[in-house]
């Protein structure tokens, strides 16, 4: 079955999460993504099999082993880049150049190449050499200071949001560059400096600071610039089917209009406190937000989260259970109705059943239907070197003997 | 009916002579600057026509396309786009041109007035859709009685990206999910905060940045297929499916906690800044917070602690046992929890990075606007919003040859009574 990106070849030198997440999306949309790894630098590759973390982010790709520390390995690496539509890496600047993928090479060997470099800080500037992982970027980009509660700057986002976001932006950049290349025949270099990607997400708050002089701070679940109340997560009755890790149960309620406030008030049984005339407007409710939050929590603590959600939504009040990963994968009726989860075809050598969260894009003409298991490192070396480079079995054997294919 | 939206004055100095970075980034990138041709300087998506009928859930996707040079036309009702009421505002005074939220999320568009409650307005919308390459929709089409399938029947090469909260079918199809509710249902709130806080949303509209970025990916992937085959299609994108794909460890815990020693339970309770690996955490130093980690080189971290004389029992022989690897990392974090509060945050950050340790100082926005790295990289852009000149956010990525830029928004009509559809299409240049 045709996929939207069929025929696009991507040489993928990225590692860990940000780059691999972006290339996973491109691979599952049909691109031939060749992940280049080496056992000399075994990230996520252990003697007893692959870690689920590696397996999750590296679906949708073929896998070759290539030792760029050897002359033969570099020769093969250059040949792959000469045949690729896209090369993507997250090495320090200059590494690709040392391997011979420099300006001249690109100009003469593959002027249509789209070369995407992902780095923490980007090339140039006093911080260019800084070492960054996602939590570093979160802290430096302002994301940590702005997610949390007033008075604390030590919370931040509870997972590597910026890695996912940067990888997705790299995917957008690749697709946009392919369109440009179609128009004018030429590739180009693209840089994704993850620090800058992250700072970009503060957009309106940065403008607020620069125009109004107001520095944003974490505001819990309140909206810092708009009037909405009640607008919070409220504790509910313990969940009967809770598994370890689900010791508490919460529901989010977001009243965005006065009409929604009236509907909520009514379904709570019209308690006297909610009929305070000061609460008739959003501004009035926001001014009393602490008191309202206390009253809301007193009510929700007597309720099941699911029941609150269903009754609220039936009355046109936005509300949602605070779902865990177990909720999402085992209980969520909407994701079940849309068959969002599936399993890979065939068992995975390391983990057996490989669970799949589908690409969240459903194409009417080029659907993504089947999901293959994640490849083992080096599983596709022969096939890729044969298909991309026309290398014969004998040539591949020589490459193995020289230590280039480890 | 005369349109009530005043002519827009949001404008931005065009900064697209070559690269957006005046620092000679191309020269500093040894592998940059491949071929040069006559189209250099235009955005990557120059010439691509997009009809942007998005709301908050997909607007960031349309922004990505617009800032990359696509011609993105955004209709709004006669009373104005409701998103113009999103704060913050210039001087805290609301006004259709004064929303800084809108200046960011609705950048680089061309706006036109469209009354979808009138037959003329609906016809105009349909004709605009048929003249576009890509339509991004959060419900305007069905609300106007236009079926995407009917559009495709008339124009088989059209790409329609249909953005919804939960998908076109299913028990939650009609649920209302603004940002906080989408975050809760999508698994985000359960990860964020700690035992002393409720589950928390992420700052701003980052949830809709995720869903919006998938919109751009879906649109451009479908565009590519159309270029190859002539075949357009409908792409359905649900916010509620987008979010769980981007939760790092969350699905892995639910699926594989029986298989891995790093997941003790199927759900990891909220634990503040501590990463699921336990080896990244924000600690309080003198003068502010700093994210610290003993990775990726715990030996170097140990050597530093020894230099400072604060290593406690970390040199004990018992830690040579490879089975105690995780306990050792956690013991080192314990030692760092005592050590970091004694250090000044700025000096600690600089010394860590000098030692190649990936510590990250927690920077608040006021330090970002003076950040030397962003300054050196010439990241900030000039904006003019309702007559106010300001710096503002720069690009999330840099293209060497077809640069990103925030373009001055324009009106595609003269803001008067609705004009005949053909003259609108003529005015915006969307005729063959």
């Amino acid at each position: 079955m045709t996929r939207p990106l069929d025929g696009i070849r991507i040489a993928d030198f990225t590692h860990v999460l940000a780059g691999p997440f972006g290339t996973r999306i491109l691979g599952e949309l049909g691109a031939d993504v060749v992940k280049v790894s080496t056992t000399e630098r075994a990230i996520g590759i252990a003697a007893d099999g692959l870690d689920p973390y590696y397996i999750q982010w590296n679906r949708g790709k073929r896998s070759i082993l290539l030792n760029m520390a050897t002359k033969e390995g570099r020769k093969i690496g250059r040949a792959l880049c000469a045949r690729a539509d896209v090369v993507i890496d997250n090495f320090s600047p200059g590494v690709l150049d040392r391997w011979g993928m420099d300006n001249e090479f690109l100009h003469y060997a593959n002027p249509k190449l789209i070369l995407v470099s992902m780095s923490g800080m980007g090339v140039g500037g006093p911080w260019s050499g800084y070492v960054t992982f996602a939590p570093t970027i979160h802290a430096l980009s302002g994301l940590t200071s702005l997610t949390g509660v007033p008075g604390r700057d030590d919370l931040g986002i509870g997972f590597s949001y910026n890695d996912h976001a940067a990888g997705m932006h790299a995917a957008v950049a690749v697709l946009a560059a392919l369109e440009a290349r179609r128009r004018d025949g030429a590739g180009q270099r693209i840089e994704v400096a993850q620090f800058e990607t992250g700072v970009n997400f503060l957009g309106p708050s940065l403008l607020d600071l620069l125009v109004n002089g107001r520095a944003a701070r974490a505001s819990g679940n309140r909206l810092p610039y708009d009037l909405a109340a009640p607008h919070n997560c409220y504790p509910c009755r313990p969940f009967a089917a809770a598994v370890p890790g689900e010791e508490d149960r919460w529901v989010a309620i977001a009243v965005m209009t006065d009409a929604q406030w009236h509907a909520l008030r009514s379904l709570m049984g019209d308690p006297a406190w909610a009929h305070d005339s000061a609460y008739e407007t959003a501004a009035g409710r926001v001014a009393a937000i602490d008191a309202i939050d206390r009253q809301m929590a007193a009510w929700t603590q007597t309720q099941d989260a699911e029941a609150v959600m269903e009754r609220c939504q039936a009355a046109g009040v936005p509300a949602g259970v605070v779902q865990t990963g177990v909720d999402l994968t085992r209980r969520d009726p909407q994701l079940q109705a849309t068959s969002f989860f599936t399993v890979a075809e065939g068992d995975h050598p390391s983990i057996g059943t490989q669970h799949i969260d589908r690409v969240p894009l459903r194409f009417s003409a080029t659907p993504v239907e089947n999901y293959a298991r994640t490849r083992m490192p080096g599983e596709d070396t022969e096939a890729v070197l044969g298909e991309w480079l026309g290398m014969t079995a004998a040539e591949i054997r020589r490459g193995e003997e020289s230590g280039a294919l480890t | 009916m005369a349109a009530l939206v005043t002519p827009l004055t949001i404008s931005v100095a065009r900064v697209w002579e070559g690269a957006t970075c005046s620092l000679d980034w191309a020269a500093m990138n040894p592998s940059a600057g491949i071929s040069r041709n006559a189209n250099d300087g235009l955005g990557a998506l120059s010439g691509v026509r997009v009809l942007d009928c998005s709301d908050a859930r997909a607007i960031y996707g349309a922004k990505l396309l617009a800032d990359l040079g696509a011609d993105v036309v955004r209709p709004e009702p006669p009373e104005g786009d409701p998103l113009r009421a999103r704060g913050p505002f210039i001087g805290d005074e609301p006004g259709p041109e004064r929303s800084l939220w809108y200046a960011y999320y609705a950048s680089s568009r061309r706006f036109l007035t469209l009354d979808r409650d009138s037959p003329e307005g609906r016809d105009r919308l349909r004709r605009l859709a048929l003249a576009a390459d890509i339509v991004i929709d959060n419900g305007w089409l069905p609300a106007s009685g236009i079926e995407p399938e009917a559009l495709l029947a008339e124009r088989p090469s059209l790409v329609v990206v249909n953005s919804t909260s939960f998908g076109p079918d299913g028990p939650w199809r009609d649920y209302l999910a603004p940002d906080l509710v989408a975050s809760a249902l999508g698994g985000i709130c359960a990860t964020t905060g700690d035992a002393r806080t409720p589950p928390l949303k992420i700052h701003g509209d980052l949830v809709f940045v995720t869903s919006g970025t998938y919109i751009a990916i879906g649109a451009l992937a479908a565009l590519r297929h159309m270029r190859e085959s002539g075949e357009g299609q409908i792409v359905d994108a649900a916010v509620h499916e987008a979010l769980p794909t981007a939760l790092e460890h969350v699905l892995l815990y639910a699926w594989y906690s029986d298989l891995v020693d790093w997941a003790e339970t199927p759900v990891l309770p909220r634990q503040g800044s501590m990463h699921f690996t336990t080896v990244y955490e924000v600690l309080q130093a003198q003068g502010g917070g700093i994210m610290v980690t003993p990775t990726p080189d715990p030996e170097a971290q140990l050597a530093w602690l020894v230099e400072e004389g604060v290593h406690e029992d970390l040199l004990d022989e018992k830690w040579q046992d490879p089975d105690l690897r995780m306990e050792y990392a956690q013991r080192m974090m314990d030692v760092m929890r005592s050590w970091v509060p004694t250090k000044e945050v700025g000096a600690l950050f600089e010394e860590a990075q000098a030692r190649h340790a990936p510590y990250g100082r927690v920077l608040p926005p006021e330090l970002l606007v003076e950040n030397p790295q962003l300054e050196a990289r010439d990241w900030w852009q000039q904006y003019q919003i309702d007559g106010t000149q300001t710096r503002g956010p720069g690009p999330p990525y840099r293209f060497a040859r077809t640069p990103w830029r925030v373009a001055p928004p324009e009106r595609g009509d003269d803001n008067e009574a609705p004009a005949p559809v053909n003259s609108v299409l003529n005015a915006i240049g969307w005729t063959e």
Side-chain angles (χ1 to χ4, degrees), chain A residues 144-165:
Chain A
T144 297
S145 82
L146 293 181
T147 290
V149 296
R152 292 179 63 185
D153 68 349
D154 65 337
L155 287 169
I157 304 171
F159 61 97
S160 299
Y161 174 89
N162 204 66
D163 269 4
H164 287 288

Side-chain angles (χ1 to χ4, degrees), chain B residues 28-215:
Chain B
M28 294 184 74
N29 272 280
S31 304
I34 308 172
S35 318
R36 299 270 172 210
N37 67 43
N39 287 312
D40 287 1
L42 294 178
L45 299 179
S46 174
V48 176
R49 296 174 178 173
V50 180
L51 180 63
D52 173 16
C53 298
S54 65
D55 62 26
R57 295 170 287 181
I59 193 171
Y60 186 79
K63 172 185 169 66
L64 289 176
L65 303 181
D67 293 345
L68 285 174
D71 180 8
V72 183
V73 170
R74 184 171 173 86
E76 52 186 316
E79 65 274 18
D81 187 340
L83 292 176
R84 292 177 184 276
R86 290 290 304 265
F89 301 98
I90 299 172
D92 282 339
E93 286 177 35
E97 322 304 325
R98 300 177 70 77
S99 164
L100 298 172
W101 191 98
Y102 205 69
Y104 174 79
Y105 279 100
S107 57
S108 309
R109 308 302 209 279
R110 298 206 284 159
F111 297 89
L112 48 83
T113 306
L114 196 150
D115 181 5
R116 70 180 187 205
D117 291 329
S118 75
E120 297 82 18
R122 290 185 196 154
D123 187 53
R124 178 187 282 203
L125 183 65
R126 197 179 69 86
R127 297 285 292 275
L128 284 166
L130 290 171
D133 297 306
I134 297 169
V135 178
I136 295 174
D137 186 44
N138 271 119
W140 267 52
L141 293 181
S144 308
I146 300 169
E147 296 293 335
E149 289 83 358
L151 292 174
L152 258 89
E154 199 169 330
R155 172 113 181 280
S157 62
L158 182 61
V159 170
V160 178
V161 185
N162 185 32
S163 164
T164 58
S165 291
F166 296 97
D169 298 301
W172 293 356
R173 186 189 67 181
D174 296 325
Y175 274 18
L176 299 175
D179 167 67
L180 177 65
V181 171
S183 303
L185 288 170
I188 288 181
C189 294
T191 68
T192 294
D194 67 13
R196 294 188 274 147
T197 76
L200 295 174
K201 69 183 277 319
I202 308 181
H203 166 75
D205 294 276
L206 291 192
V207 160
F208 294 144
V209 165
T210 301
S211 60
T213 309
Y214 269 118
I215 296 298

